Amino acid sequence: PPGPARDCSHEAPVTAEAAGVLLAAGPSDALGEPVQLVDVGGRPLLERVVERLAWLDPLVVVLGWRAEEILEGADLSGAVVIINYDWEEGIGSSMRTGLDHLSRERIHRPALVTLANLPAIGEEHIRPLLAAHAGGVTLPVYRYDAGYPLLLDRSQWDRFMSRGLDPLDIARAHPEWVTEVRGDEHAPRRIRVPTDIEEALPRFGAA
């Protein structure tokens, strides 16, 4: 079950087009350290990602693996932090934790679901999804395949929570729910191994 919410946010904007669910609960064993705390120009990666997404209202960050260490090492002001103690069940468990919190808070805006190890995702990726969204699920299709982030209409949350799988896999299995936003660029790289970090640094002016 999820732990109690820890509100790290400052005063929220009056209006917002979407809420955010940032999935940051999984392990990063191949890096040898939590990806959330990778140093990017003197600041933890997760702190940088939260800063980029803080215009989403609310922005819910779901932690799990080494959560206390991450909370001690990163300033997550601008976010509401939820601990998923069932993080070992996989990414679907963390998605369910984040969407459940939004449901309990009676949020009715679409929810933007993305990953903490995808630091390239920013407003330039999200705005086209918001513009195209007509209900259901809206997601980007990069040069070769669909990817993150996903924009989930409020009407879809129960469907996704009940399945408890990777939300991208759920969307791929149900194309009838999906609106695609196509582009020619490659999918942003997820940080899984140390060499991926080098690609991420220039995006934050930290090369």
Side-chain angles (χ1 to χ4, degrees):
R6 186 178 308 195
D7 190 345
C8 297
S9 62
H10 297 310
E11 185 176 346
V14 176
T15 61
E17 296 176 72
V21 177
L22 180 59
L23 305 179
S28 49
D29 297 324
L31 280 176
E33 62 178 316
V35 66
Q36 300 91 332
L37 297 180
V38 165
D39 186 283
V40 179
R43 294 172 61 195
L45 178 69
L46 183 58
E47 191 174 302
R48 296 268 194 173
V49 174
V50 165
E51 185 176 72
R52 284 175 65 114
L53 299 177
W55 59 278
L56 297 167
D57 178 28
L59 173 62
V60 176
V61 177
V62 182
L63 298 179
W65 179 70
R66 295 171 70 166
E68 291 304 321
E69 178 183 348
I70 292 163
L71 281 168
E72 290 176 5
D75 178 4
L76 301 183
S77 299
V80 177
V81 177
I82 306 291
I83 309 299
N84 175 21
Y85 293 105
D86 296 325
W87 60 267
E88 290 180 287
E89 294 180 6
I91 193 171
S93 171
S94 294
M95 171 200 63
R96 184 169 54 233
T97 298
L99 291 179
D100 179 68
H101 175 78
L102 293 178
S103 297
R104 292 173 185 273
E105 292 297 308
R106 300 184 179 181
I107 301 298
H108 297 286
R109 294 181 289 281
L112 190 287
V113 179
T114 190
L115 308 178
N117 67 348
L118 266 177
I121 298 298
E123 192 168 350
E124 67 274 19
H125 298 89
I126 299 168
R127 288 294 178 189
L129 302 181
L130 290 168
H133 188 65
V137 182
T138 307
L139 54 74
V141 176
Y142 299 102
R143 185 173 296 183
Y144 300 115
D145 198 7
Y148 281 94
L150 283 72
L151 189 62
L152 305 182
D153 200 71
R154 176 64 184 87
S155 62
Q156 301 296 312
W157 295 1
D158 288 345
R159 282 176 165 176
F160 275 71
M161 286 192 290
S162 68
R163 284 161 173 81
L165 304 172
D166 185 320
L168 186 56
D169 289 341
I170 297 172
R172 285 171 173 152
H174 294 278
E176 68 276 13
W177 301 347
V178 173
T179 297
E180 297 179 345
V181 177
R182 292 186 168 268
D184 293 329
E185 69 272 22
H186 291 278
R189 180 178 294 184
R190 292 170 66 170
I191 294 181
R192 292 188 172 101
V193 295
T195 53
D196 295 331
I197 299 170
E198 298 172 8
E199 182 181 285
L201 295 180
R203 298 183 183 277
F204 297 97

